[in-house]
Amino acid sequence: MSTTESTTSHYTTTTHQIEGEIRLVDGYSSDEGRVEIFHEGQWGTVCDDSWDDSDARVVCRQLGYSGNVGVARSRATYGQGSGPIYLDDVGCSGKESRLTDCSNGGWGNQNCDHSEDAGVYCGDKIEGKIRLVDGYSSDEGRVEISFHEGQWGTVCDDGWDDSDARVVCRQLGYSGNVGVARSRATYGQGSGPIYLDDVGCSGNESRLTDCSNGGWNNHYCGHAEDAGVDCSI
């Protein structure tokens, strides 16, 4: 256990950090952020190699969240940390009480840099919802997806094709194999964040977030590349 003291003119406060304690840093809300873990008197990060929702659920449980909440974030979604990278190759079943109960490569054994810092989202699972905006009819429009606290953002059209469009339409409740991809901001340019890029669906997924992608907020796009779909075809 490490003890730190801070003194003011009126009183002294003492805080205690426990070995293996977890905190979330630099999130958009208190329910999310970069995962940092306390070890030998110092906070450090966790590498995202093999990082998945089972690991995220354990982090959220350790932080006191009830239920089965926890969504994994990778590729330094919440910015790059500094200092040591303590854990790598974390492999939780999802039922553990603490992150240190999960298999891992051992303290300090890693081959990562801070661009691979792992994060989690412990809020309710409203992220990943889809809507179509500014279409010529209700069956088409610019694809927007919700992320943290329900904030909407767009999807970049790099690699965007009809397989991706079919998944969007399926998620929106359309039956059959409908869905035609639109690119280059066919339905006008959005505003705010661009959340996904390099989406690669097989066409059989139920939700767009089930498809491979570059990770939340990882893109090299402008809104002139906002993706759209037409679900009437």
Side-chain angles (χ1 to χ4, degrees), residues 106-129:
W107 291 107
N109 292 318
Q110 48 84 21
N111 57 352
C112 307
D113 58 46
H114 283 296
S115 67
E116 301 169 83
D117 283 346
V120 302
Y121 175 76
C122 296
D124 58 31
K125 295 186 177 181
I126 57 174
E127 88 285 352
K129 287 185 177 180

Side-chain angles (χ1 to χ4, degrees), residues 38-174:
F38 193 76
H39 176 59
E40 293 186 342
Q42 188 174 2
W43 290 97
T45 61
V46 177
C47 183
D48 66 6
D49 291 342
S50 302
W51 189 251
D52 61 19
D53 288 352
S54 294
D55 308 317
R57 286 194 291 272
V58 174
V59 168
C60 297
R61 182 177 301 118
Q62 182 173 344
L63 288 169
Y65 289 85
S66 59
N68 206 29
V69 300
V71 178
R73 305 296 192 209
S74 58
R75 299 186 183 183
T77 294
Y78 301 105
Q80 297 186 26
S82 59
I85 300 171
Y86 278 140
L87 295 181
D88 190 14
D89 298 318
V90 175
C92 302
S93 70
K95 300 183 183 301
E96 296 87 352
S97 298
R98 293 171 57 83
L99 193 63
T100 51
D101 295 337
C102 304
S103 65
N104 60 78
W107 291 107
N109 292 318
Q110 48 84 21
N111 57 352
C112 307
D113 58 46
H114 283 296
S115 67
E116 301 169 83
D117 283 346
V120 302
Y121 175 76
C122 296
D124 58 31
K125 295 186 177 181
I126 57 174
E127 88 285 352
K129 287 185 177 180
I130 290 286
R131 68 182 183 184
L132 302 182
V133 179
D134 293 339
Y136 304 108
S137 73
S138 60
D139 296 321
E140 59 185 325
R142 182 175 62 254
V143 176
E144 295 194 350
I145 187 168
S146 65
F147 184 28
H148 65 87
E149 294 189 325
Q151 183 178 359
W152 293 94
T154 61
V155 177
C156 184
D157 66 7
D158 291 341
W160 190 251
D161 61 19
D162 289 351
S163 294
D164 308 318
R166 286 195 292 272
V167 174
V168 168
C169 297
R170 182 177 301 117
Q171 182 173 343
L172 288 170
Y174 289 84

